[in-house]
Amino acid sequence: MSDANEQFAGLRKGLLEFALLTVVSGRTVYVGDILSTLAPTPFATQEGTLYPLLSKLRREEYVDYEWVESGQGPPRKYYRLTEKGAARLEELAAYWRRLTTTLESLGR
């Protein structure tokens, strides 16, 4: 991991929930799809990080899942955003916009 990656690890970790809700929004996705989507981004993660976060988001009723039969093995959990999750995503997006505006204005 580069120095820049280490420097910003806490920031990325704090934003991972936002990134995950964004990935899940508007579609139903399998964990493998989530990992593949995040892999080329600064939010690349592993199953060991992703599953506990998905469990937390499910307990908070932001995501739900359904079991779907797989032609290549056992059934898979496919995650989707709930209405409460969509509202949470919008809250996070609005807060992010506010932060961005604030930071940009501080530099003027």
Side-chain angles (χ1 to χ4, degrees):
M1 186 179 279
S2 75
D3 288 339
N5 284 341
E6 288 177 19
Q7 246 181 329
F8 299 114
L11 184 58
R12 272 194 324 279
K13 183 178 179 186
L15 291 169
L16 187 56
E17 176 184 322
F18 187 11
L20 183 53
L21 290 174
T22 301
V23 169
V24 175
S25 69
R27 59 189 180 141
T28 302
V29 291
Y30 173 62
V31 167
D33 299 330
I34 296 169
L35 292 170
S36 296
T37 300
L38 295 176
T41 75
F43 297 104
T45 191
Q46 300 173 357
E47 288 182 21
T49 300
L50 191 57
Y51 278 114
L53 182 53
L54 284 167
S55 292
K56 173 187 171 286
L57 294 174
R58 184 160 188 263
R59 282 191 309 275
E60 293 171 344
E61 300 177 345
Y62 294 148
V63 299
D64 202 0
Y65 67 82
E66 64 180 312
W67 287 99
V68 176
E69 290 297 323
S70 170
Q72 295 132 353
R76 297 176 172 180
K77 282 183 187 177
Y78 279 80
Y79 291 86
R80 65 176 173 75
L81 210 56
T82 63
E83 285 184 33
K84 188 174 177 181
R88 175 68 173 156
L89 178 58
E90 184 50 43
E91 287 173 359
L92 289 168
Y95 186 65
W96 182 255
R97 287 188 296 272
R98 208 165 70 234
L99 286 176
T100 302
T101 300
T102 299
L103 289 170
E104 289 172 352
S105 70
L106 290 173
R108 293 183 190 155

